[in-house]
Amino acid sequence: MVESKPRIITIPKITEDRGNLGYVESGRHIPFTIQRVYFINDVPGGTERGSHAHKKLQQFLITLSGSLSVLLNDGSRTEEFVLNRSHQGLLLPPGYWRTLRDFTSGAVVIVLASEMYDPDDYINDYDEFLAWKKLRTVTA
Ligand code: T46
């Protein structure tokens, strides 16, 4: 089942004198099978990333180092999530216009994704996104 609301999920962290280890299992900690992993790093100060929505893709974002903000807009309201803990991640369902910003120097975010990379899954225009949301509400 595809969850409809974004939420923070705490993942297991094994803390030892020799350091920490965190892990994520498909179906146990996140509600999808991981098909792809990508990461974002070396983001210059003041840069924004994202500014698009996905029709189908589910993602789980974990900030391994540093901090960043994720703004999620559902077509009517915007919610902000600050990601700054490596043992917590943001479950990001499809159907949200996302903006990533306020990357601190050295921030690294790893993203676990439910699908392979598919440019056709992206909505890159905000008005198109609103129209797509409206259509979904009518047909749901
Ligand atoms: C998202 C946010 C959080 C690939 O070739 N394969 C991939 O798996 C990805 C994710 C990207 N790319 C290429 C496509 C572009 O030429 O890498 C380039 C940069 O991608 P993009 O401009 O989409 O990067 P962001 O940071 O704006 O968005 C990414 C994800 O694409 C998107 O799904 O939700 O991170």
Side-chain angles (χ1 to χ4, degrees):
M1 196 195 75
V2 178
E3 291 193 21
S4 58
K5 299 270 179 230
R7 64 184 173 102
I8 295 291
I9 295 175
T10 299
I11 59 172
K13 178 166 90 167
I14 314 294
T15 306
E16 297 177 327
D17 290 346
R18 58 201 177 120
N20 301 332
L21 182 152
Y23 64 95
V24 179
E25 292 176 357
S26 291
R28 185 165 174 209
H29 307 115
I30 55 171
F32 61 83
T33 301
I34 300 161
Q35 298 254 36
R36 176 169 55 106
V37 176
Y38 66 90
F39 58 88
I40 298 169
N41 64 341
D42 269 345
V43 177
T47 301
E48 290 192 352
R49 299 193 63 112
S51 295
H52 53 246
H54 284 282
K55 299 174 203 164
K56 187 173 171 204
L57 186 69
Q58 303 173 69
Q59 301 194 100
F60 187 62
L61 287 70
I62 309 167
T63 302
L64 295 180
S65 156
S67 170
L68 65 126
S69 290
V70 182
L71 299 181
L72 296 181
N73 176 277
D74 65 1
S76 51
R77 57 183 285 272
T78 301
E79 193 172 1
E80 179 170 15
F81 293 87
V82 177
L83 303 184
N84 55 13
R85 296 195 170 99
S86 59
H87 64 287
Q88 288 189 331
L90 173 64
L91 179 69
L92 176 40
Y96 285 86
W97 187 266
R98 78 280 321 269
T99 306
L100 280 64
R101 69 177 193 196
D102 301 334
F103 287 82
T104 57
S105 167
V108 180
V109 60
I110 187 164
V111 184
L112 314 181
S114 66
E115 314 291 331
M116 306 285 267
Y117 178 63
D118 176 9
D120 290 340
D121 191 63
Y122 286 68
I123 305 173
N124 291 306
D125 178 89
Y126 187 70
D127 289 336
E128 256 178 54
F129 167 66
L130 292 180
W132 180 81
K133 287 293 275 191
K134 209 169 164 186
L135 200 66
R136 270 183 112 209
T137 313
V138 171
T139 53

